Amino acid sequence: MKTKIKKLLVASRGEIACRVIRAAKSMGISTVAIYSEADLGSLHCELADESFCVGPASPKESYLHQQTILDVALSANVDGIHPGYGFLAENSDFARRVVSENMLWIGPSPDCIDEMGDKDSARQIAKAANVPVLPGTDRFTIDDEPDLLGLASEIGFPLLVKATAGGGGIGMKLVTDPTKLTAVVESTANLAEQAFGDGTLYLERYVANARHIEIQIFGFGNGKAIHLHERECSIQRRFQKIIEESPAPNLAADVVAKMAIAAVSLAQHQNYQGAGTVEFVLDADTQNFYFLEMNTRIQVEHPVTEMVTGRDLVKMQISQSEGTQAVIEQGEIMTSGAAIECRLYAEDPSFHFIPSPGELTEFTIGANENARIDTGYRVGDSVTIHYDPMLAKLVVWGQDRTQAITQMMDLLNQSKVKGVKNNIAFLQATLKHPQFIDGMISTHFVDEHLNDLI
């Protein structure tokens, strides 16, 4: 059934809220922003047609407060809600409440969010779809009093302790020493309980020489789905991505093709609708790949895919929810050139990448015809302790990877941030590192070359 969205509420903040608002406006859709007291006067509120305060700075009392957001949506008479990413983007309960109020949820079905949001459930679904999965345990809680060393012996060390409800590197810890397993399990469970309200865990084999590759998919329902090629996401710190690119360097075409087929198979198996990302860990030694997780939302790094495919994923999301998105055949998805995204953070790389709150006394980002800047900040805005300290996403396109790197270096050289510590110099050092230039990267790149990068 086709339902035209005339007014859309964006249930997020910062650069992703700005990005969704701009996309909706370009489609002739009126927009509603929400903000916490800490975000009063923020850019996403300025861009929206209407904006409403949903509570104090604490996310639990504002951006995560479902009833308040629904009350705003109903009073503003919106037709749909786009959750962006983070906060309530993968909260099936919120999605169901949106649908129950006769509003469109811009995302996959609540049932799909449930099934893929739980990492243990997602692993079982991936197996059913014939997608390779790393050896791991069933879910457990501390209250189950599991035989941790017995479970670990089936996997071997090193291994990862992972929260079933985790995401974005939160609730995931590496264990190399068997004597520390119990303490890590307990601390991870406590963190997961605080962050997600769910302390359920599982253990999973750790791939030592790993690359983090993800496949952007888009589902049309009824078992129809396509992929929009791969993204390389191996440059990370503390399991959090910093630099992403497409296509992935030094990765054989047949390996990429197999990963893409696996991702589409999973999406088709789920009758998936809308944008999603299937993430894989690739063993760089064997070239074997394994299912990591599926994100049932738009990704932070989606711009690199848009740059190389020319497709607007957010517009596609909205159109799919309206029932107006035409089915796209795989052969219609073409790529051109190479794209790189750098995440600009207010943080101190020299001190364990600790966040650096404060007022932006200078915020100048470079520009060129092949660049795209996604940000929710301006000079005079403040970076607070309450939210992720990402200031902007700098994205460039080049005819090839070498040109894209050069374009990004030019962009960073033009950029100046004052008032908070930032990672511009760190990004520059990474981009000009010989191994990065040669595409010899892994998830350990930052740790292995930290002294060169800081």
Side-chain angles (χ1 to χ4, degrees), residues 392-409:
K393 299 185 310 197
L394 283 59
V395 195
V396 297
W397 178 90
Q399 293 181 351
D400 55 30
R401 185 173 186 264
T402 298
Q403 187 182 82
I405 292 173
T406 300
Q407 297 261 24
M408 182 61 77
M409 285 297 293

Side-chain angles (χ1 to χ4, degrees), residues 272-347:
Y272 195 87
Q273 293 193 59
T277 299
V278 182
E279 302 196 3
F280 296 98
V281 58
L282 175 79
D283 188 325
D285 295 326
T286 66
Q287 295 299 294
N288 293 328
F289 62 88
Y290 306 93
F291 173 77
L292 191 59
E293 64 180 345
M294 183 176 189
N295 290 286
T296 54
R297 54 173 168 81
I298 200 75
Q299 288 276 92
V300 178
E301 56 272 23
H302 77 275
V304 294
T305 294
E306 294 184 328
M307 294 285 263
V308 296
T309 63
R311 302 279 178 167
D312 190 311
L313 290 166
V314 173
K315 288 184 180 180
M316 288 173 64
Q317 280 186 304
I318 295 172
S319 295
Q320 180 66 29
S321 296
E322 290 179 323
T324 59
Q325 176 63 51
V327 174
I328 300 171
E329 299 299 328
Q330 187 62 60
E332 298 178 60
I333 302 298
M334 309 298 290
T335 63
S336 174
I340 295 178
E341 174 179 296
C342 285
R343 302 191 191 188
L344 175 57
Y345 282 99
E347 64 182 16

Side-chain angles (χ1 to χ4, degrees), residues 45-361:
C45 296
E46 182 179 296
L47 293 176
D49 298 294
E50 303 172 61
S51 60
F52 298 87
C53 183
V54 288
S58 167
K60 286 187 177 181
E61 298 178 85
S62 52
Y63 295 109
L64 290 172
H65 202 281
Q66 296 184 29
Q67 189 58 56
T68 302
I69 296 172
L70 287 170
D71 288 345
V72 167
L74 292 169
S75 65
N77 196 31
V78 305
D79 305 298
I81 293 181
H82 192 301
Y85 56 71
F87 299 125
L88 297 170
E90 293 176 285
N91 188 302
S92 60
D93 177 54
F94 182 62
R96 288 190 178 91
R97 294 182 70 179
V98 169
V99 174
S100 72
E101 296 290 355
N102 297 314
M103 293 179 283
L104 292 179
W105 169 254
I106 315 301
S109 69
D111 286 346
C112 189
I113 294 174
D114 269 336
E115 292 165 351
M116 302 313 296
D118 181 284
K119 284 182 166 48
D120 183 62
S121 168
R123 283 165 53 86
Q124 303 310 317
I125 293 170
K127 289 179 182 178
N130 295 315
V131 178
V133 174
L134 279 168
T137 68
D138 293 331
R139 70 176 70 214
F140 63 87
T141 68
I142 293 178
D143 293 337
D144 296 331
E145 298 183 359
D147 175 12
L148 294 176
L149 289 178
L151 292 173
S153 67
E154 300 176 12
I155 301 170
F157 288 90
L159 57 76
L160 288 171
V161 179
K162 303 177 80 170
T164 61
I170 301 173
M172 180 163 61
K173 299 228 180 126
L174 174 65
V175 182
T176 58
D177 183 349
T179 64
K180 296 181 180 179
L181 179 61
T182 299
V184 172
V185 164
E186 290 176 353
S187 65
T188 306
N190 291 334
L191 175 63
E193 184 67 42
Q194 294 172 15
F196 314 115
D198 183 353
T200 309
L201 307 173
Y202 67 98
L203 308 181
E204 184 178 78
R205 177 178 293 172
Y206 177 71
V207 178
N209 189 15
R211 290 175 67 178
H212 187 141
I213 309 292
E214 58 189 34
I215 304 292
Q216 175 71 57
I217 61 93
F218 197 92
F220 304 97
N222 299 318
K224 296 180 181 178
I226 59 170
H227 69 84
L228 290 91
H229 300 276
E230 84 279 11
R231 293 188 290 253
E232 171 74 67
C233 303
S234 297
I235 304 299
Q236 307 175 1
R237 85 283 191 265
R238 301 197 307 270
F239 297 112
Q240 293 277 10
K241 303 162 193 171
I242 313 172
I243 298 175
E244 301 98 350
E245 58 182 300
S246 183
N250 297 334
L251 189 55
D254 64 322
V255 175
V256 175
K258 290 175 184 177
M259 296 174 84
I261 291 170
V264 171
S265 173
L266 182 58
Q268 291 173 334
H269 184 82
Q270 288 299 100
N271 288 316
Y272 195 87
Q273 293 193 59
T277 299
V278 182
E279 302 196 3
F280 296 98
V281 58
L282 175 79
D283 188 325
D285 295 326
T286 66
Q287 295 299 294
N288 293 328
F289 62 88
Y290 306 93
F291 173 77
L292 191 59
E293 64 180 345
M294 183 176 189
N295 290 286
T296 54
R297 54 173 168 81
I298 200 75
Q299 288 276 92
V300 178
E301 56 272 23
H302 77 275
V304 294
T305 294
E306 294 184 328
M307 294 285 263
V308 296
T309 63
R311 302 279 178 167
D312 190 311
L313 290 166
V314 173
K315 288 184 180 180
M316 288 173 64
Q317 280 186 304
I318 295 172
S319 295
Q320 180 66 29
S321 296
E322 290 179 323
T324 59
Q325 176 63 51
V327 174
I328 300 171
E329 299 299 328
Q330 187 62 60
E332 298 178 60
I333 302 298
M334 309 298 290
T335 63
S336 174
I340 295 178
E341 174 179 296
C342 285
R343 302 191 191 188
L344 175 57
Y345 282 99
E347 64 182 16
D348 186 355
S350 66
F351 194 62
H352 309 295
F353 299 94
I354 189 170
S356 175
E359 181 183 339
L360 292 170
T361 56

